[in-house]
Amino acid sequence: MGPLPDPSLDDLGTDFSDTGDGDIGMMKLGDNSSGLNHSFAYNGVFFDQPCIVLSLSAQEVSAEEKSELETQLKEDAENAFFLPTGLNVTLTLTPDGSLMSMNVWIGNSSLSINRGPAVDVDIDGESISGRDGMSSKEFNNEELSFHAEFETEIHF
């Protein structure tokens, strides 16, 4: 028997029309919530496979960080990877938009999974749009959930 399919976004029971305090989404851990306000995407390589890395974060990626990542990608595309500071969800997607992996960073803790979150993306040339979310996952003895709707340019 193969792996179970990831849930669809409709199965999450999340109201994507309400992004709460965030411009593009919301993350909740236990009784605390935080807005996801920024999205950033770039073409990369994940275990020798071409990919699109999409980061949804509370803080904006600075021009300096973007420039540094672009330099790293030119020098060694297979080892260049960017993790934004602060609270974020980073999705690694196949070029057609299927989920390869997801990392959630909150404070000094992280959660890495390769199934469970629902992702629905549309890749159109140099842009990516869509929505993603996760209804509930235990993280540091609390329940973690998030949802986001995004549209952003794919860099590099």
Side-chain angles (χ1 to χ4, degrees):
M1 176 185 271
L4 297 173
D6 288 336
S8 74
L9 288 163
D10 296 329
D11 294 338
L12 290 177
T14 301
D15 181 5
F16 279 85
S17 65
D18 176 18
T19 58
D21 295 331
D23 294 335
I24 61 172
M26 192 69 148
M27 181 181 292
K28 184 174 182 181
L29 179 63
D31 294 332
N32 299 309
S33 60
S34 181
L36 297 171
N37 298 302
H38 304 280
S39 57
F40 175 71
Y42 65 92
N43 288 302
V45 177
F46 182 72
F47 289 105
D48 297 326
Q49 300 294 316
C51 67
I52 297 170
V53 179
L54 171 66
S55 185
L56 309 169
S57 60
Q59 297 176 321
E60 186 171 12
V61 177
S62 72
E64 182 180 316
E65 291 168 320
K66 289 176 185 177
S67 177
E68 184 178 313
L69 174 61
E70 184 175 23
T71 299
Q72 288 176 4
L73 287 167
K74 287 178 182 175
E75 291 175 0
D76 186 4
E78 294 183 13
N79 291 314
F81 195 77
F82 172 75
L83 291 173
T85 57
L87 181 140
N88 72 78
V89 176
T90 299
L91 304 169
T92 304
L93 307 166
T94 63
D96 68 358
S98 298
L99 181 68
M100 297 171 80
S101 71
M102 181 190 83
N103 292 301
V104 177
W105 294 85
I106 301 173
N108 292 324
S109 299
S110 67
L111 170 69
S112 298
I113 57 177
N114 60 8
R115 66 171 308 279
V119 179
D120 179 19
V121 298
D122 181 35
I123 300 167
D124 184 18
E126 297 301 313
S127 67
I128 183 170
S129 61
R131 57 189 188 155
D132 73 309
M134 185 172 66
S135 59
S136 182
K137 181 87 171 171
E138 186 174 326
F139 183 75
N140 290 343
N141 298 319
E142 296 188 83
E143 290 298 311
L144 169 70
S145 62
F146 72 90
H147 68 276
E149 285 190 278
F150 53 86
E151 182 174 351
T152 192
E153 174 185 351
I154 300 173
H155 296 271
F156 324 120

